[in-house]
């Protein structure tokens, strides 16, 4: 990963960004450094689903199917929990930036690299990613 160059070059060369893109996820870089990576994704909420799952559509949008109904923020909490589980991070590391009351949401994901969770940890999680 190259960190001495600013802007899109860091974005393009970051291993974790490349792994997310390989899964078909369209994302926007917010911040990148040796200690953390912040990205923004677009999520389409599908509350009230029988089966909880995540699917990435042909446009790179993440579709989150959750059991919870869209009442009192329950679906939003379920979406963050499902995304966090799929990405190997904590729900507290995700934040809905826009679309709280809409099916279409902008979600910020913070990946923090520490001794117990280096970049390789997240890469292994993404290698195991399946659509189910």
């Amino acid at each position: 990963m190259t960190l001495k160059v600013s802007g899109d070059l860091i974005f393009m060369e970051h291993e974790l960004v490349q792994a997310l893109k390989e899964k078909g996820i369209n994302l926007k870089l917010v911040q990148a450094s040796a200690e953390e990576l912040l990205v923004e994704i677009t999520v389409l909420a599908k509350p009230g689903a029988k089966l909880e799952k995540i699917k990435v559509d042909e446009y790179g949008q993440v579709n989150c199917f959750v059991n919870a109904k869209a009442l009192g923020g329950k679906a939003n909490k379920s979406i963050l929990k499902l995304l966090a589980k799929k990405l190997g991070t904590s729900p507290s590391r995700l934040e809905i930036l826009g679309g709280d009351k809409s099916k279409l949401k902008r979600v910020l994901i913070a990946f923090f690299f520490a001794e117990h969770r280096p970049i390789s940890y997240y890469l292994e999680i993404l290698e195991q990613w399946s659509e189910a």
Side-chain angles (χ1 to χ4, degrees), residues 1-17 27-39 108-111 113 119:
M1 165 178 59
T2 302
L3 294 174
K4 294 182 180 174
V5 184
S6 64
D8 290 338
L9 190 54
I10 290 176
F11 177 65
M12 296 306 292
E13 293 182 3
H14 199 288
E15 294 172 272
L16 192 51
V17 168
L27 49 94
K28 175 183 169 188
L29 176 71
V30 176
Q31 182 177 334
S33 73
E35 296 85 29
E36 67 182 357
L37 174 69
L38 303 175
V39 295
L108 178 71
I109 304 168
F111 296 97
F113 312 123
I119 293 174

Side-chain angles (χ1 to χ4, degrees), residues 16-114:
L16 192 51
V17 168
Q18 291 303 319
L20 290 165
K21 286 185 161 203
E22 285 174 12
K23 296 298 178 187
I25 299 172
N26 187 18
L27 49 94
K28 175 183 169 188
L29 176 71
V30 176
Q31 182 177 334
S33 73
E35 296 85 29
E36 67 182 357
L37 174 69
L38 303 175
V39 295
E40 181 184 317
I41 64 170
T42 302
V43 173
L44 181 64
K46 302 281 190 168
K50 291 182 181 180
L51 180 65
E52 291 202 337
K53 63 182 177 178
I54 295 175
K55 289 191 134 196
V56 180
D57 68 18
E58 64 271 13
Y59 305 107
Q61 181 174 275
V62 178
N63 298 304
C64 285
F65 298 81
V66 293
N67 299 129
K69 302 283 185 204
L71 298 170
K74 290 180 183 177
N76 286 344
K77 287 180 184 175
S78 291
I79 287 167
L80 295 180
K81 187 176 176 183
L82 182 61
L83 278 170
K85 181 179 177 184
K86 200 71 157 173
L87 297 170
T89 191
S90 167
S92 65
R93 302 282 190 221
L94 283 77
E95 178 184 350
I96 296 176
L97 298 175
D100 270 359
K101 298 183 183 198
S102 170
K103 285 193 174 203
L104 196 60
K105 303 173 185 309
R106 291 179 317 129
V107 176
L108 178 71
I109 304 168
F111 296 97
F112 291 100
F113 312 123

